[in-house]
Amino acid sequence: MTLARGTDQIESTRLVLRRICAGDLDFLTRIHADPDVARYLGHGRPRSSEESLTWLQSTLATYENFGLGQLAVLRKTDGRLIGRCGLSDLVVEARATADASPRAWYGRAQAPPDTEVVFEPELGYTFDRSSWGHGFASEAARCVFDYARDVLRLPRVVSLIHPDNVRSLRVAQRFGLQREDGVEMMARPYGRYVWPIQARS
């Protein structure tokens, strides 16, 4: 759930991050259907309302099953829902062929049953286009990472970033993420970047 059991929300200077609920569906459907927002998510195409509902149901399930999940991001000044940010259950092929990148999936049920895989907590975010350019993605990502490192004590956190996603690459550079390798997800290439997990001094 990206939150320890018994914790309802975490906060940064300007943001509140809480668990996603069924009432967030209209907002999620709207941003997932925006071509500019969807460009670097999964298959890169706008999602239908049915796909967004499936995504929400999957997120609620990961809260219970894996202790991971995206969180709703609200702006403190007016309580407005502006995006989502959190840890997803990323499944990566453990042994790829020499001439191919490892395949990756969100959700353990998506991986072929005969494939050797590793599981990674993947930090990702998606924001309403009207909220871009204000540093909210960076602030939310830092809030989630600090919590994952300092409270959840996760030994490793990664982010998948499409090579053309300049905004997210800038965030990765700002926080000192290192590119480890590339993976293939939904027939598209993504870089796997590792967050610097060492404890804060």
Side-chain angles (χ1 to χ4, degrees), residues 11 17 20 23 25 29 34 45 98 100 113 154-155 159 178:
E11 298 184 20
L17 288 78
I20 285 172
L25 180 59
T29 298
D34 184 328
R45 299 184 305 273
L154 295 181
S159 286
Q178 296 296 315

Side-chain angles (χ1 to χ4, degrees), residues 1-136:
M1 61 200 67
T2 312
L3 296 177
R5 294 192 184 280
T7 300
D8 294 325
Q9 65 185 38
I10 54 178
E11 298 184 20
S12 63
T13 303
R14 298 180 296 165
L15 305 172
V16 172
L17 288 78
R18 60 155 174 81
R19 293 177 189 154
I20 285 172
C21 64
D24 299 327
L25 180 59
D26 287 348
F27 170 81
L28 294 167
T29 298
R30 180 171 59 77
I31 65 168
H32 290 167
D34 184 328
D36 288 332
V37 173
R39 180 173 297 138
Y40 302 121
L41 300 178
H43 50 53
R45 299 184 305 273
R47 294 178 183 172
S48 66
S49 57
E50 292 78 12
E51 286 177 308
S52 285
L53 175 59
T54 299
W55 182 92
L56 185 144
Q57 291 169 335
S58 175
T59 296
L60 297 181
T62 62
Y63 286 170
E64 297 306 316
N65 296 333
F66 305 117
L68 298 173
Q70 292 280 301
L71 302 173
V73 180
L74 288 75
R75 197 165 51 196
K76 281 184 176 179
T77 53
D78 56 7
R80 180 183 174 192
L81 178 58
I82 60 172
R84 59 177 173 87
C85 180
L87 300 172
S88 299
D89 184 39
L90 179 68
V91 184
V92 183
E93 190 174 20
R95 300 181 189 278
T97 60
D99 58 347
S101 297
R103 294 174 294 169
W105 304 267
Y106 284 119
R108 303 184 184 200
Q110 304 300 318
D114 59 345
T115 303
E116 184 180 353
V117 297
V118 294
F119 305 108
E120 303 252 54
E122 194 264 345
L123 197 163
Y125 51 80
T126 303
F127 281 81
D128 187 327
R129 190 154 37 101
S130 66
S131 299
W132 292 2
H134 300 283
F136 292 132

